[in-house]
Amino acid sequence: SECLWRLAQPGMNVLDIGANVGYFSSLLSKKVGPQGKVFSFEPHPEIFKKLKHNISESKNCTPYNLALSNKSGESLLFIPTDFEKN
Protein backbone atom coordinates (compact mmCIF):
# COMPACT_ATOMS: atom_id res chain seq x y z
CA SER A 1 0.00 0.00 0.00
CA GLU A 2 2.71 2.44 0.98
CA CYS A 3 4.74 1.74 -2.16
CA LEU A 4 1.76 2.42 -4.46
CA TRP A 5 0.84 5.51 -2.48
CA ARG A 6 4.35 6.89 -2.93
CA LEU A 7 4.59 6.02 -6.63
CA ALA A 8 1.18 7.38 -7.68
CA GLN A 9 0.88 11.13 -8.13
CA PRO A 10 -2.13 13.44 -8.47
CA GLY A 11 -3.42 13.55 -12.05
CA MET A 12 -1.91 10.20 -13.10
CA ASN A 13 -3.78 7.50 -15.00
CA VAL A 14 -3.18 4.10 -13.39
CA LEU A 15 -4.10 0.47 -14.07
CA ASP A 16 -5.14 -2.01 -11.39
CA ILE A 17 -4.75 -5.35 -13.15
CA GLY A 18 -6.30 -8.18 -11.18
CA ALA A 19 -8.17 -5.62 -9.08
CA ASN A 20 -9.91 -8.22 -6.92
CA VAL A 21 -12.41 -6.40 -4.68
CA GLY A 22 -10.89 -2.97 -5.29
CA TYR A 23 -8.66 -2.23 -2.29
CA PHE A 24 -5.81 -0.83 -4.41
CA SER A 25 -8.23 0.82 -6.85
CA SER A 26 -9.77 2.74 -3.95
CA LEU A 27 -6.37 3.69 -2.56
CA LEU A 28 -5.14 4.85 -5.96
CA SER A 29 -8.37 6.74 -6.61
CA LYS A 30 -7.73 8.89 -3.57
CA LYS A 31 -4.10 9.52 -4.51
CA VAL A 32 -4.57 10.42 -8.20
CA GLY A 33 -7.52 12.64 -7.31
CA PRO A 34 -10.21 14.03 -9.58
CA GLN A 35 -7.77 14.87 -12.38
CA GLY A 36 -6.47 11.27 -12.52
CA LYS A 37 -8.11 8.01 -13.55
CA VAL A 38 -8.02 4.42 -12.31
CA PHE A 39 -8.77 1.56 -14.70
CA SER A 40 -9.62 -1.58 -12.71
CA PHE A 41 -9.53 -5.00 -14.39
CA GLU A 42 -11.00 -8.13 -12.77
CA PRO A 43 -11.95 -11.22 -14.81
CA HIS A 44 -13.85 -13.22 -12.16
CA PRO A 45 -17.58 -12.39 -12.53
CA GLU A 46 -18.50 -12.71 -8.83
CA ILE A 47 -15.49 -10.76 -7.60
CA PHE A 48 -16.14 -8.16 -10.31
CA LYS A 49 -19.56 -7.48 -8.75
CA LYS A 50 -17.85 -6.74 -5.43
CA LEU A 51 -15.26 -4.57 -7.17
CA LYS A 52 -18.00 -2.51 -8.87
CA HIS A 53 -19.79 -2.05 -5.56
CA ASN A 54 -16.63 -1.11 -3.66
CA ILE A 55 -15.50 1.54 -6.16
CA SER A 56 -18.95 2.88 -7.03
CA GLU A 57 -18.34 6.07 -5.01
CA SER A 58 -15.02 6.73 -6.78
CA LYS A 59 -15.89 8.91 -9.75
CA ASN A 60 -12.45 8.46 -11.32
CA CYS A 61 -12.51 4.61 -11.33
CA THR A 62 -13.68 2.57 -14.31
CA PRO A 63 -14.11 -1.21 -13.78
CA TYR A 64 -13.65 -3.76 -16.56
CA ASN A 65 -14.81 -7.37 -16.26
CA LEU A 66 -11.97 -8.89 -18.27
CA ALA A 67 -8.46 -10.22 -18.05
CA LEU A 68 -5.43 -8.64 -19.66
CA SER A 69 -2.69 -10.39 -21.58
CA ASN A 70 0.04 -9.76 -24.10
CA LYS A 71 -2.01 -11.72 -26.68
CA SER A 72 -5.45 -11.28 -28.23
CA GLY A 73 -8.00 -14.01 -27.83
CA GLU A 74 -10.23 -15.78 -25.37
CA SER A 75 -9.43 -18.12 -22.54
CA LEU A 76 -11.14 -19.98 -19.74
CA LEU A 77 -10.97 -18.70 -16.19
CA PHE A 78 -9.95 -21.61 -14.00
CA ILE A 79 -11.44 -21.47 -10.51
CA PRO A 80 -9.96 -24.05 -8.11
CA THR A 81 -12.32 -26.08 -5.92
CA ASP A 82 -10.85 -24.52 -2.76
CA PHE A 83 -11.22 -20.97 -4.13
CA GLU A 84 -13.57 -20.00 -1.29
CA LYS A 85 -10.57 -20.09 1.06
CA ASN A 86 -8.89 -17.30 -0.90
Side-chain angles (χ1 to χ4, degrees), residues 34-59:
Q35 301 304 317
K37 294 182 182 172
V38 179
F39 302 94
S40 307
F41 299 88
E42 175 52 51
H44 190 288
E46 292 302 315
I47 295 174
F48 180 74
K49 289 178 192 176
K50 293 176 184 177
L51 167 66
K52 274 181 52 174
H53 173 77
N54 290 340
I55 65 171
S56 63
E57 300 288 319
S58 301
K59 303 296 183 216

PDB file of all heavy atoms in Angstrom, residues 34-59:
ATOM      1  N   PRO A  34      -9.212  13.846  -8.529  1.00  0.00           N
ATOM      2  CA  PRO A  34     -10.215  14.034  -9.581  1.00  0.00           C
ATOM      3  C   PRO A  34      -9.637  14.250 -10.980  1.00  0.00           C
ATOM      4  O   PRO A  34     -10.322  14.027 -11.970  1.00  0.00           O
ATOM      5  CB  PRO A  34     -11.008  15.259  -9.124  1.00  0.00           C
ATOM      6  CG  PRO A  34     -10.142  15.945  -8.135  1.00  0.00           C
ATOM      7  CD  PRO A  34      -9.252  14.904  -7.528  1.00  0.00           C
ATOM      8  N   GLN A  35      -8.394  14.667 -11.071  1.00  0.00           N
ATOM      9  CA  GLN A  35      -7.766  14.868 -12.384  1.00  0.00           C
ATOM     10  C   GLN A  35      -7.182  13.567 -12.937  1.00  0.00           C
ATOM     11  O   GLN A  35      -6.859  13.480 -14.117  1.00  0.00           O
ATOM     12  CB  GLN A  35      -6.677  15.931 -12.303  1.00  0.00           C
ATOM     13  CG  GLN A  35      -7.176  17.287 -11.838  1.00  0.00           C
ATOM     14  CD  GLN A  35      -8.301  17.830 -12.698  1.00  0.00           C
ATOM     15  OE1 GLN A  35      -8.254  17.750 -13.921  1.00  0.00           O
ATOM     16  NE2 GLN A  35      -9.328  18.365 -12.066  1.00  0.00           N
ATOM     17  N   GLY A  36      -7.016  12.553 -12.088  1.00  0.00           N
ATOM     18  CA  GLY A  36      -6.466  11.267 -12.516  1.00  0.00           C
ATOM     19  C   GLY A  36      -7.561  10.250 -12.775  1.00  0.00           C
ATOM     20  O   GLY A  36      -8.741  10.512 -12.543  1.00  0.00           O
ATOM     21  N   LYS A  37      -7.155   9.081 -13.267  1.00  0.00           N
ATOM     22  CA  LYS A  37      -8.106   8.007 -13.555  1.00  0.00           C
ATOM     23  C   LYS A  37      -7.516   6.676 -13.125  1.00  0.00           C
ATOM     24  O   LYS A  37      -6.306   6.462 -13.211  1.00  0.00           O
ATOM     25  CB  LYS A  37      -8.433   7.954 -15.045  1.00  0.00           C
ATOM     26  CG  LYS A  37      -9.174   9.167 -15.537  1.00  0.00           C
ATOM     27  CD  LYS A  37      -9.524   9.050 -16.999  1.00  0.00           C
ATOM     28  CE  LYS A  37     -10.234  10.333 -17.435  1.00  0.00           C
ATOM     29  NZ  LYS A  37     -10.428  10.383 -18.862  1.00  0.00           N
ATOM     30  N   VAL A  38      -8.406   5.791 -12.674  1.00  0.00           N
ATOM     31  CA  VAL A  38      -8.019   4.424 -12.310  1.00  0.00           C
ATOM     32  C   VAL A  38      -8.827   3.470 -13.176  1.00  0.00           C
ATOM     33  O   VAL A  38     -10.064   3.560 -13.221  1.00  0.00           O
ATOM     34  CB  VAL A  38      -8.286   4.137 -10.814  1.00  0.00           C
ATOM     35  CG1 VAL A  38      -7.914   2.710 -10.465  1.00  0.00           C
ATOM     36  CG2 VAL A  38      -7.537   5.124  -9.929  1.00  0.00           C
ATOM     37  N   PHE A  39      -8.138   2.582 -13.864  1.00  0.00           N
ATOM     38  CA  PHE A  39      -8.774   1.565 -14.698  1.00  0.00           C
ATOM     39  C   PHE A  39      -8.567   0.229 -13.996  1.00  0.00           C
ATOM     40  O   PHE A  39      -7.432  -0.225 -13.845  1.00  0.00           O
ATOM     41  CB  PHE A  39      -8.159   1.563 -16.100  1.00  0.00           C
ATOM     42  CG  PHE A  39      -8.272   2.898 -16.779  1.00  0.00           C
ATOM     43  CD1 PHE A  39      -7.243   3.819 -16.709  1.00  0.00           C
ATOM     44  CD2 PHE A  39      -9.419   3.237 -17.465  1.00  0.00           C
ATOM     45  CE1 PHE A  39      -7.339   5.054 -17.318  1.00  0.00           C
ATOM     46  CE2 PHE A  39      -9.538   4.478 -18.089  1.00  0.00           C
ATOM     47  CZ  PHE A  39      -8.499   5.389 -18.013  1.00  0.00           C
ATOM     48  N   SER A  40      -9.676  -0.375 -13.538  1.00  0.00           N
ATOM     49  CA  SER A  40      -9.624  -1.578 -12.711  1.00  0.00           C
ATOM     50  C   SER A  40     -10.098  -2.790 -13.501  1.00  0.00           C
ATOM     51  O   SER A  40     -11.244  -2.810 -13.976  1.00  0.00           O
ATOM     52  CB  SER A  40     -10.520  -1.400 -11.484  1.00  0.00           C
ATOM     53  OG  SER A  40     -10.190  -0.202 -10.812  1.00  0.00           O
ATOM     54  N   PHE A  41      -9.235  -3.809 -13.608  1.00  0.00           N
ATOM     55  CA  PHE A  41      -9.529  -5.004 -14.394  1.00  0.00           C
ATOM     56  C   PHE A  41      -9.640  -6.222 -13.477  1.00  0.00           C
ATOM     57  O   PHE A  41      -8.703  -6.525 -12.734  1.00  0.00           O
ATOM     58  CB  PHE A  41      -8.422  -5.248 -15.428  1.00  0.00           C
ATOM     59  CG  PHE A  41      -8.282  -4.123 -16.405  1.00  0.00           C
ATOM     60  CD1 PHE A  41      -7.453  -3.043 -16.138  1.00  0.00           C
ATOM     61  CD2 PHE A  41      -8.996  -4.140 -17.593  1.00  0.00           C
ATOM     62  CE1 PHE A  41      -7.326  -2.003 -17.047  1.00  0.00           C
ATOM     63  CE2 PHE A  41      -8.875  -3.100 -18.505  1.00  0.00           C
ATOM     64  CZ  PHE A  41      -8.038  -2.025 -18.225  1.00  0.00           C
ATOM     65  N   GLU A  42     -10.785  -6.912 -13.550  1.00  0.00           N
ATOM     66  CA  GLU A  42     -11.002  -8.127 -12.770  1.00  0.00           C
ATOM     67  C   GLU A  42     -11.822  -9.112 -13.608  1.00  0.00           C
ATOM     68  O   GLU A  42     -12.963  -8.832 -13.956  1.00  0.00           O
ATOM     69  CB  GLU A  42     -11.733  -7.809 -11.463  1.00  0.00           C
ATOM     70  CG  GLU A  42     -12.102  -9.015 -10.641  1.00  0.00           C
ATOM     71  CD  GLU A  42     -10.929  -9.941 -10.370  1.00  0.00           C
ATOM     72  OE1 GLU A  42      -9.874  -9.472  -9.914  1.00  0.00           O
ATOM     73  OE2 GLU A  42     -11.063 -11.147 -10.633  1.00  0.00           O
ATOM     74  N   PRO A  43     -11.253 -10.282 -13.934  1.00  0.00           N
ATOM     75  CA  PRO A  43     -11.953 -11.219 -14.808  1.00  0.00           C
ATOM     76  C   PRO A  43     -13.021 -12.086 -14.126  1.00  0.00           C
ATOM     77  O   PRO A  43     -13.949 -12.534 -14.780  1.00  0.00           O
ATOM     78  CB  PRO A  43     -10.829 -12.098 -15.359  1.00  0.00           C
ATOM     79  CG  PRO A  43      -9.782 -12.063 -14.308  1.00  0.00           C
ATOM     80  CD  PRO A  43      -9.861 -10.692 -13.702  1.00  0.00           C
ATOM     81  N   HIS A  44     -12.903 -12.321 -12.840  1.00  0.00           N
ATOM     82  CA  HIS A  44     -13.847 -13.221 -12.162  1.00  0.00           C
ATOM     83  C   HIS A  44     -15.198 -12.515 -11.987  1.00  0.00           C
ATOM     84  O   HIS A  44     -15.276 -11.456 -11.367  1.00  0.00           O
ATOM     85  CB  HIS A  44     -13.285 -13.621 -10.797  1.00  0.00           C
ATOM     86  CG  HIS A  44     -14.045 -14.709 -10.134  1.00  0.00           C
ATOM     87  ND1 HIS A  44     -15.302 -14.519  -9.600  1.00  0.00           N
ATOM     88  CD2 HIS A  44     -13.729 -15.998  -9.916  1.00  0.00           C
ATOM     89  CE1 HIS A  44     -15.730 -15.648  -9.080  1.00  0.00           C
ATOM     90  NE2 HIS A  44     -14.789 -16.562  -9.256  1.00  0.00           N
ATOM     91  N   PRO A  45     -16.283 -13.092 -12.528  1.00  0.00           N
ATOM     92  CA  PRO A  45     -17.576 -12.386 -12.531  1.00  0.00           C
ATOM     93  C   PRO A  45     -18.132 -12.076 -11.141  1.00  0.00           C
ATOM     94  O   PRO A  45     -18.689 -10.997 -10.929  1.00  0.00           O
ATOM     95  CB  PRO A  45     -18.519 -13.311 -13.297  1.00  0.00           C
ATOM     96  CG  PRO A  45     -17.798 -14.590 -13.488  1.00  0.00           C
ATOM     97  CD  PRO A  45     -16.347 -14.371 -13.226  1.00  0.00           C
ATOM     98  N   GLU A  46     -17.974 -12.965 -10.186  1.00  0.00           N
ATOM     99  CA  GLU A  46     -18.501 -12.708  -8.835  1.00  0.00           C
ATOM    100  C   GLU A  46     -17.661 -11.663  -8.108  1.00  0.00           C
ATOM    101  O   GLU A  46     -18.197 -10.784  -7.436  1.00  0.00           O
ATOM    102  CB  GLU A  46     -18.561 -14.005  -8.028  1.00  0.00           C
ATOM    103  CG  GLU A  46     -19.587 -14.994  -8.538  1.00  0.00           C
ATOM    104  CD  GLU A  46     -20.997 -14.414  -8.562  1.00  0.00           C
ATOM    105  OE1 GLU A  46     -21.410 -13.771  -7.566  1.00  0.00           O
ATOM    106  OE2 GLU A  46     -21.688 -14.595  -9.580  1.00  0.00           O
ATOM    107  N   ILE A  47     -16.361 -11.754  -8.240  1.00  0.00           N
ATOM    108  CA  ILE A  47     -15.491 -10.761  -7.604  1.00  0.00           C
ATOM    109  C   ILE A  47     -15.671  -9.404  -8.274  1.00  0.00           C
ATOM    110  O   ILE A  47     -15.635  -8.362  -7.614  1.00  0.00           O
ATOM    111  CB  ILE A  47     -14.013 -11.213  -7.635  1.00  0.00           C
ATOM    112  CG1 ILE A  47     -13.859 -12.475  -6.789  1.00  0.00           C
ATOM    113  CG2 ILE A  47     -13.091 -10.120  -7.142  1.00  0.00           C
ATOM    114  CD1 ILE A  47     -12.498 -13.104  -6.838  1.00  0.00           C
ATOM    115  N   PHE A  48     -15.910  -9.416  -9.597  1.00  0.00           N
ATOM    116  CA  PHE A  48     -16.138  -8.161 -10.311  1.00  0.00           C
ATOM    117  C   PHE A  48     -17.339  -7.414  -9.746  1.00  0.00           C
ATOM    118  O   PHE A  48     -17.313  -6.183  -9.619  1.00  0.00           O
ATOM    119  CB  PHE A  48     -16.327  -8.425 -11.807  1.00  0.00           C
ATOM    120  CG  PHE A  48     -16.576  -7.180 -12.595  1.00  0.00           C
ATOM    121  CD1 PHE A  48     -15.538  -6.294 -12.849  1.00  0.00           C
ATOM    122  CD2 PHE A  48     -17.833  -6.879 -13.081  1.00  0.00           C
ATOM    123  CE1 PHE A  48     -15.756  -5.129 -13.574  1.00  0.00           C
ATOM    124  CE2 PHE A  48     -18.066  -5.724 -13.801  1.00  0.00           C
ATOM    125  CZ  PHE A  48     -17.020  -4.849 -14.050  1.00  0.00           C
ATOM    126  N   LYS A  49     -18.390  -8.131  -9.360  1.00  0.00           N
ATOM    127  CA  LYS A  49     -19.564  -7.484  -8.749  1.00  0.00           C
ATOM    128  C   LYS A  49     -19.170  -6.746  -7.478  1.00  0.00           C
ATOM    129  O   LYS A  49     -19.612  -5.622  -7.225  1.00  0.00           O
ATOM    130  CB  LYS A  49     -20.644  -8.519  -8.433  1.00  0.00           C
ATOM    131  CG  LYS A  49     -21.338  -9.073  -9.633  1.00  0.00           C
ATOM    132  CD  LYS A  49     -22.348 -10.124  -9.206  1.00  0.00           C
ATOM    133  CE  LYS A  49     -22.860 -10.904 -10.391  1.00  0.00           C
ATOM    134  NZ  LYS A  49     -23.762 -11.988  -9.999  1.00  0.00           N
ATOM    135  N   LYS A  50     -18.313  -7.381  -6.671  1.00  0.00           N
ATOM    136  CA  LYS A  50     -17.850  -6.742  -5.431  1.00  0.00           C
ATOM    137  C   LYS A  50     -16.967  -5.542  -5.743  1.00  0.00           C
ATOM    138  O   LYS A  50     -17.057  -4.509  -5.078  1.00  0.00           O
ATOM    139  CB  LYS A  50     -17.103  -7.759  -4.567  1.00  0.00           C
ATOM    140  CG  LYS A  50     -18.006  -8.852  -4.047  1.00  0.00           C
ATOM    141  CD  LYS A  50     -17.229  -9.901  -3.282  1.00  0.00           C
ATOM    142  CE  LYS A  50     -18.172 -11.022  -2.880  1.00  0.00           C
ATOM    143  NZ  LYS A  50     -17.481 -12.114  -2.203  1.00  0.00           N
ATOM    144  N   LEU A  51     -16.112  -5.680  -6.744  1.00  0.00           N
ATOM    145  CA  LEU A  51     -15.265  -4.568  -7.172  1.00  0.00           C
ATOM    146  C   LEU A  51     -16.124  -3.372  -7.561  1.00  0.00           C
ATOM    147  O   LEU A  51     -15.899  -2.252  -7.092  1.00  0.00           O
ATOM    148  CB  LEU A  51     -14.378  -4.997  -8.352  1.00  0.00           C
ATOM    149  CG  LEU A  51     -13.656  -3.887  -9.105  1.00  0.00           C
ATOM    150  CD1 LEU A  51     -12.619  -3.211  -8.227  1.00  0.00           C
ATOM    151  CD2 LEU A  51     -13.043  -4.421 -10.379  1.00  0.00           C
ATOM    152  N   LYS A  52     -17.121  -3.601  -8.421  1.00  0.00           N
ATOM    153  CA  LYS A  52     -17.995  -2.508  -8.868  1.00  0.00           C
ATOM    154  C   LYS A  52     -18.656  -1.817  -7.686  1.00  0.00           C
ATOM    155  O   LYS A  52     -18.721  -0.596  -7.631  1.00  0.00           O
ATOM    156  CB  LYS A  52     -19.066  -3.036  -9.827  1.00  0.00           C
ATOM    157  CG  LYS A  52     -18.597  -3.102 -11.253  1.00  0.00           C
ATOM    158  CD  LYS A  52     -19.656  -3.598 -12.217  1.00  0.00           C
ATOM    159  CE  LYS A  52     -20.951  -2.873 -12.121  1.00  0.00           C
ATOM    160  NZ  LYS A  52     -21.920  -3.258 -13.147  1.00  0.00           N
ATOM    161  N   HIS A  53     -19.145  -2.620  -6.756  1.00  0.00           N
ATOM    162  CA  HIS A  53     -19.794  -2.047  -5.565  1.00  0.00           C
ATOM    163  C   HIS A  53     -18.796  -1.217  -4.749  1.00  0.00           C
ATOM    164  O   HIS A  53     -19.104  -0.095  -4.338  1.00  0.00           O
ATOM    165  CB  HIS A  53     -20.386  -3.163  -4.707  1.00  0.00           C
ATOM    166  CG  HIS A  53     -20.905  -2.673  -3.398  1.00  0.00           C
ATOM    167  ND1 HIS A  53     -22.100  -2.002  -3.279  1.00  0.00           N
ATOM    168  CD2 HIS A  53     -20.383  -2.741  -2.153  1.00  0.00           C
ATOM    169  CE1 HIS A  53     -22.288  -1.669  -2.023  1.00  0.00           C
ATOM    170  NE2 HIS A  53     -21.261  -2.108  -1.312  1.00  0.00           N
ATOM    171  N   ASN A  54     -17.611  -1.760  -4.535  1.00  0.00           N
ATOM    172  CA  ASN A  54     -16.635  -1.108  -3.665  1.00  0.00           C
ATOM    173  C   ASN A  54     -16.061   0.179  -4.247  1.00  0.00           C
ATOM    174  O   ASN A  54     -15.634   1.056  -3.491  1.00  0.00           O
ATOM    175  CB  ASN A  54     -15.499  -2.073  -3.319  1.00  0.00           C
ATOM    176  CG  ASN A  54     -15.959  -3.180  -2.401  1.00  0.00           C
ATOM    177  OD1 ASN A  54     -16.968  -3.073  -1.724  1.00  0.00           O
ATOM    178  ND2 ASN A  54     -15.211  -4.268  -2.383  1.00  0.00           N
ATOM    179  N   ILE A  55     -16.038   0.303  -5.558  1.00  0.00           N
ATOM    180  CA  ILE A  55     -15.495   1.535  -6.158  1.00  0.00           C
ATOM    181  C   ILE A  55     -16.590   2.446  -6.711  1.00  0.00           C
ATOM    182  O   ILE A  55     -16.296   3.445  -7.356  1.00  0.00           O
ATOM    183  CB  ILE A  55     -14.430   1.233  -7.246  1.00  0.00           C
ATOM    184  CG1 ILE A  55     -15.039   0.505  -8.440  1.00  0.00           C
ATOM    185  CG2 ILE A  55     -13.247   0.475  -6.657  1.00  0.00           C
ATOM    186  CD1 ILE A  55     -14.090   0.370  -9.626  1.00  0.00           C
ATOM    187  N   SER A  56     -17.839   2.119  -6.443  1.00  0.00           N
ATOM    188  CA  SER A  56     -18.952   2.883  -7.027  1.00  0.00           C
ATOM    189  C   SER A  56     -18.950   4.354  -6.612  1.00  0.00           C
ATOM    190  O   SER A  56     -19.446   5.207  -7.350  1.00  0.00           O
ATOM    191  CB  SER A  56     -20.292   2.229  -6.675  1.00  0.00           C
ATOM    192  OG  SER A  56     -20.497   2.247  -5.280  1.00  0.00           O
ATOM    193  N   GLU A  57     -18.399   4.675  -5.466  1.00  0.00           N
ATOM    194  CA  GLU A  57     -18.341   6.069  -5.008  1.00  0.00           C
ATOM    195  C   GLU A  57     -17.165   6.826  -5.623  1.00  0.00           C
ATOM    196  O   GLU A  57     -17.108   8.048  -5.541  1.00  0.00           O
ATOM    197  CB  GLU A  57     -18.228   6.110  -3.483  1.00  0.00           C
ATOM    198  CG  GLU A  57     -19.386   5.454  -2.752  1.00  0.00           C
ATOM    199  CD  GLU A  57     -20.653   6.274  -2.833  1.00  0.00           C
ATOM    200  OE1 GLU A  57     -20.557   7.509  -2.715  1.00  0.00           O
ATOM    201  OE2 GLU A  57     -21.734   5.684  -3.004  1.00  0.00           O
ATOM    202  N   SER A  58     -16.218   6.111  -6.195  1.00  0.00           N
ATOM    203  CA  SER A  58     -15.022   6.727  -6.776  1.00  0.00           C
ATOM    204  C   SER A  58     -15.313   7.133  -8.216  1.00  0.00           C
ATOM    205  O   SER A  58     -15.353   6.301  -9.110  1.00  0.00           O
ATOM    206  CB  SER A  58     -13.842   5.749  -6.739  1.00  0.00           C
ATOM    207  OG  SER A  58     -13.580   5.360  -5.421  1.00  0.00           O
ATOM    208  N   LYS A  59     -15.497   8.401  -8.429  1.00  0.00           N
ATOM    209  CA  LYS A  59     -15.888   8.910  -9.754  1.00  0.00           C
ATOM    210  C   LYS A  59     -14.787   8.753 -10.801  1.00  0.00           C
ATOM    211  O   LYS A  59     -15.053   8.790 -11.987  1.00  0.00           O
ATOM    212  CB  LYS A  59     -16.285  10.389  -9.652  1.00  0.00           C
ATOM    213  CG  LYS A  59     -17.386  10.653  -8.664  1.00  0.00           C
ATOM    214  CD  LYS A  59     -18.675   9.997  -9.066  1.00  0.00           C
ATOM    215  CE  LYS A  59     -19.775  10.335  -8.093  1.00  0.00           C
ATOM    216  NZ  LYS A  59     -20.695   9.258  -7.872  1.00  0.00           N
TER     217      LYS A  59
END
